[in-house]
Amino acid sequence: MSTIYITEHDALLKIQHHYLKVFHQQKQRICIPIRNLSQIIFFSNIHLTQQVIQIVHSHQIPVLYLTQNGEYLGRLENTSQLQPKYLIHQRRHKRDIEFNRATAESMIWAKLHNQHNFLQSWTRNYANPITQRALNYLTLLMDNLPIATSLNQLQEYNQEADNIYHRAISYLLSFYNPCSHTTAKQIAKLQNLGNLLLHQYIYTLLHTAGLHPDYAIFHPNTYELPLVWDFMAEFRAPIVDDLVFNFARNLPNSNGNGNGKKSRTVLQSFLQHWEGKLQTFVLHPYAGEVSYRQCMDLQVREYLACLLGDVEYYRPLAFKHNPAHFNFANVGESQKAPLTLVK
């Protein structure tokens, strides 16, 4: 299954003989069987013909709209009207306090563990009071999770961890980029974009698995598609944060030339590295050496098995080894077109 990223605002989509074709500047850039398409992400508000809309609806292909800066615009589908296969099981477990608390504790513990792993990987040869305090506090919170008296208290621990973790992240960014052309604002945009891409990818996994994204475990309903945010918790540090750190360190002067061309180049490069990151192999505690894509799919299936009663408890994904830092050298060299297709 493939994802199409379209970064040019004047792209044109057509349906011909069960194929989706993308044209730009009167040239065909992409041709893909509709059955092989998992999602489409637009980086502008591109007009779609009624035929294209009908096809993506009938094949249940998620379509996400973002700005050129990676800010959320909206979706083509109405997620509130979804009637996924396992909705009745989710509704039943929504009232199961013990089930939700145990699953939330597992997910939050794995999140703290992976945040701790990430900070360790970036401070292996450098120690300072801010990052060391964050490491110590994350360890303390992991130890204290089992004594939390309620789901609300687990949510408070989760928020406390985020606060101290992000302070450490901000410090590390300033340490590794003291004189870089990459500003804090640019890095924040990259992190936001990475989180949106991760959110969308996990949403497609839930959609395929037959789970409704609104039935959350520990994130409140003020979040968009809160179940997606639950699953993101285990992956944001090793995937998004690690990718952004590496990308920012290798990012050249991106001040732009006034016509948006430079920003599109940075966006296209980031998308290539994003796909490269998803293809990176890591050590899964139960499945062995698999890609990040497979890791996320495994965790969704693990939760579904727990939801259906096939397994007693949700086993979270806590990496046993620090993920290797990503090497950008040879990723996406053949993908120079502004319309990016990644399989």
Side-chain angles (χ1 to χ4, degrees):
M1 299 298 284
S2 304
T3 297
I4 291 180
Y5 303 95
I6 298 181
T7 59
E8 297 295 335
H9 70 278
D10 53 349
L12 177 64
L13 278 69
K14 293 183 179 180
I15 303 294
Q16 295 179 354
H17 308 297
H18 304 292
Y19 282 81
L20 176 68
K21 297 183 178 182
V22 182
F23 297 84
H24 181 244
Q25 296 180 345
Q26 299 181 340
K27 294 182 180 179
Q28 180 177 300
R29 302 303 182 94
I30 296 171
C31 180
I32 180 174
I34 296 169
R35 66 178 182 275
N36 293 342
L37 186 57
S38 62
Q39 61 174 332
I40 306 172
I41 301 179
F42 295 108
F43 286 87
S44 59
N45 194 10
I46 295 177
H47 173 73
L48 298 180
T49 65
Q50 192 61 37
Q51 183 189 23
V52 172
I53 293 174
Q54 289 175 349
I55 289 296
V56 297
H57 274 316
S58 63
H59 287 78
Q60 298 185 338
I61 300 171
V63 177
L64 178 68
Y65 287 91
L66 304 175
T67 69
Q68 285 282 335
N69 291 327
E71 298 169 348
Y72 177 77
L73 286 175
R75 302 179 187 279
L76 187 62
E77 66 273 23
N78 186 344
T79 57
S80 65
Q81 295 180 353
L82 295 175
Q83 294 292 320
K85 181 178 181 180
Y86 298 107
L87 179 59
I88 187 173
H89 296 274
Q90 291 180 275
R91 286 174 172 167
R92 184 183 305 130
H93 281 86
K94 187 70 174 177
R95 299 184 294 271
D96 190 335
I97 297 175
E98 183 179 349
F99 171 84
N100 289 317
R101 191 209 173 285
T103 307
E105 181 183 331
S106 295
M107 287 183 163
I108 293 172
W109 181 88
K111 171 189 174 179
L112 302 185
H113 173 93
N114 293 337
Q115 287 178 335
H116 190 282
N117 236 18
F118 171 78
L119 288 178
Q120 274 191 322
S121 71
W122 281 92
T123 58
R124 188 177 295 113
N125 300 315
Y126 172 76
N128 68 84
I130 294 177
T131 56
Q132 189 58 52
R133 189 181 306 116
L135 289 168
N136 293 342
Y137 195 62
L138 289 172
T139 300
L140 178 64
L141 286 175
M142 281 189 281
D143 292 339
N144 286 343
L145 287 178
I147 63 175
T149 58
S150 65
L151 185 60
N152 288 337
Q153 192 169 8
L154 284 173
Q155 291 171 332
E156 291 175 3
Y157 285 178
N158 180 57
Q159 187 59 53
E160 288 180 29
D162 275 346
N163 291 339
I164 193 166
Y165 172 74
H166 289 303
R167 283 198 293 270
I169 289 292
S170 297
Y171 180 83
L172 286 175
L173 284 170
S174 64
F175 173 78
Y176 281 107
N177 295 277
C179 301
S180 172
H181 293 295
T182 308
T183 66
K185 186 176 181 180
Q186 289 170 318
I187 293 174
K189 288 181 179 179
L190 292 175
Q191 284 187 301
N192 181 64
L193 174 57
N195 287 329
L196 285 170
L197 293 173
L198 179 62
H199 187 277
Q200 178 68 5
Y201 187 75
I202 293 178
Y203 165 63
T204 63
L205 292 178
L206 296 177
H207 183 73
T208 301
L211 293 168
H212 199 295
D214 285 342
Y215 283 76
I217 303 161
F218 66 93
H219 278 90
N221 288 332
T222 53
Y223 284 72
E224 189 204 13
L225 312 182
L227 182 59
V228 180
W229 285 95
D230 289 338
F231 282 100
M232 284 177 63
E234 299 172 48
F235 293 99
R236 289 177 68 179
I239 295 183
V240 176
D241 294 343
D242 194 63
L243 170 62
V244 170
F245 259 63
N246 277 293
F247 188 80
R249 293 181 69 193
N250 292 273
L251 187 64
N253 186 345
S254 57
N255 292 328
N257 55 11
N259 62 7
K261 184 177 180 180
K262 180 65 73 174
S263 64
R264 286 199 299 273
T265 301
V266 172
L267 172 61
Q268 292 155 14
S269 178
F270 186 81
L271 292 175
Q272 290 167 358
H273 292 109
W274 163 257
E275 283 291 330
K277 185 69 171 178
L278 294 185
Q279 296 167 21
T280 301
F281 278 77
V282 290
L283 187 61
H284 191 284
Y286 315 119
E289 191 172 337
V290 295
S291 69
Y292 277 121
R293 287 184 187 277
Q294 294 168 307
C295 284
M296 288 184 276
D297 184 56
L298 286 168
Q299 293 313 115
V300 170
R301 296 183 183 280
E302 174 77 18
Y303 174 69
L304 180 57
C306 187
L307 194 72
L308 298 178
D310 297 335
V311 297
E312 189 173 1
Y313 299 109
Y314 173 81
R315 296 178 300 177
L317 178 53
F319 291 101
K320 294 184 178 180
H321 302 287
N322 294 326
H325 287 164
F326 188 62
N327 182 0
F328 294 111
N330 299 312
V331 175
E333 289 184 356
S334 63
Q335 301 179 43
K336 299 300 184 181
L339 299 169
T340 305
L341 169 64
V342 184
K343 293 186 177 180

